[in-house]
């Protein structure tokens, strides 16, 4: 990933903040055609697991080890579903990086995912399959642009196809060159922390990662055990 390469190897200063936005549209038929998508017991969550999980992946990849989260999970559509269609959260990482995240299925169209990273010296934005740098005059300059693959959905890029093909190659070549389940655990922790924060006393409460992993409530027990078994 070009942005990670720049952050790690170029003199841009420490990362101070990250922003991830996913504003998409899912009609009610999306849920009625496949009812499991709206059921808590089967889907687990809504927009944060089925639409914006990879934006959470990127926030965690860049931010590092998570410390705490404050979030709200809600429904802005009038659909008869048990899972959330909208989520907002702030994350604090052990590195001191702060992040803001917002995802919804209640918009009127599928806008491009936006990821912004601000460092002590620079500002970078990924949007519309392009990586931008904002210069000293406030103008955006394109650093890199993804290739467009026919049949891929422009608003979330071609990452699915690339990773699926990579997984198939790893099977054929008998290698481990694929995204392992243990690499998904940090993002699942983020989701569980968002859920717990949103449920606390009916209002958003800040939840620390250590509380999630070592607590005893039913909401976090499954994630804690899963993480311990897979990491």
């Amino acid at each position: 990933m070009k942005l990670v390469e720049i952050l790690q190897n170029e003199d841009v200063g420490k990362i101070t903040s990250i922003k991830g936005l996913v504003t998409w549209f899912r009609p009610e038929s999306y849920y009625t055609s496949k009812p499991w998508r709206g059921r808590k017991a089967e889907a687990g969550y809504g927009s944060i697991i089925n639409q914006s999980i990879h934006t959470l992946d990127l926030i965690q990849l860049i931010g590092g080890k998570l410390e705490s989260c404050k979030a709200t999970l809600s429904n802005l559509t009038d659909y008869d579903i048990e899972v959330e269609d909208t989520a907002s959260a702030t994350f604090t990482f052990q590195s001191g990086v702060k992040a803001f995240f917002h995802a919804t299925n209640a918009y009127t169209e599928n806008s491009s995912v936006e990821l912004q990273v601000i460092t002590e010296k620079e500002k970078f934005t990924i949007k519309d399959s392009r990586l931008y740098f904002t210069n000293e005059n406030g103008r955006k300059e394109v650093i890199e642009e993804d290739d467009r693959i026919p049949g891929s959905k422009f608003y979330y890029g071609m990452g699915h196809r690339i990773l699926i093909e990579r997984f198939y190659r790893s099977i054929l070549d008998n290698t481990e060159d694929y995204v392992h389940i243990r690499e998904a655990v940090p993002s699942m922790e983020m989701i569980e922390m968002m859920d717990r924060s949103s449920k606390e006393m009916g209002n958003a409460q800040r939840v620390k990662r250590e509380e999630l992993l070592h607590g005893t409530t039913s909401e976090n027990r499954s994630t804690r055990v899963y993480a311990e078994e897979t990491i």
Side-chain angles (χ1 to χ4, degrees), residues 130-153:
R130 297 181 179 92
L131 170 60
Y132 298 92
F133 156 72
T134 304
N135 65 26
E136 58 186 10
N137 297 318
R139 293 179 60 87
K140 290 183 178 179
E141 299 177 4
V142 177
I143 298 174
E144 189 160 289
E145 181 174 357
D146 286 340
D147 294 330
R148 300 294 179 95
I149 296 178
S152 63
K153 295 180 180 179

Side-chain angles (χ1 to χ4, degrees), residues 196 209-218 220-221 224:
R196 184 175 177 184
R209 178 175 181 270
E210 290 304 310
E211 293 175 350
L212 176 77
L213 295 181
H214 301 294
T216 57
T217 63
S218 59
N220 62 37
R221 187 178 298 113
R224 185 180 72 255

Side-chain angles (χ1 to χ4, degrees), residues 115-173:
L115 182 76
Q116 186 173 85
V117 178
I118 299 176
T119 72
E120 294 172 321
K121 300 180 180 181
E122 311 288 1
K123 180 189 291 185
F124 302 94
T125 304
I126 296 176
K127 190 174 183 180
D128 296 318
S129 300
R130 297 181 179 92
L131 170 60
Y132 298 92
F133 156 72
T134 304
N135 65 26
E136 58 186 10
N137 297 318
R139 293 179 60 87
K140 290 183 178 179
E141 299 177 4
V142 177
I143 298 174
E144 189 160 289
E145 181 174 357
D146 286 340
D147 294 330
R148 300 294 179 95
I149 296 178
S152 63
K153 295 180 180 179
F154 78 92
Y155 55 92
Y156 65 66
M158 59 184 184
H160 282 177
R161 179 171 175 175
I162 292 172
L163 290 177
I164 290 171
E165 290 177 350
R166 180 175 163 187
F167 179 69
Y168 287 159
R169 284 198 305 270
S170 72
I171 294 174
L172 295 173
D173 299 337

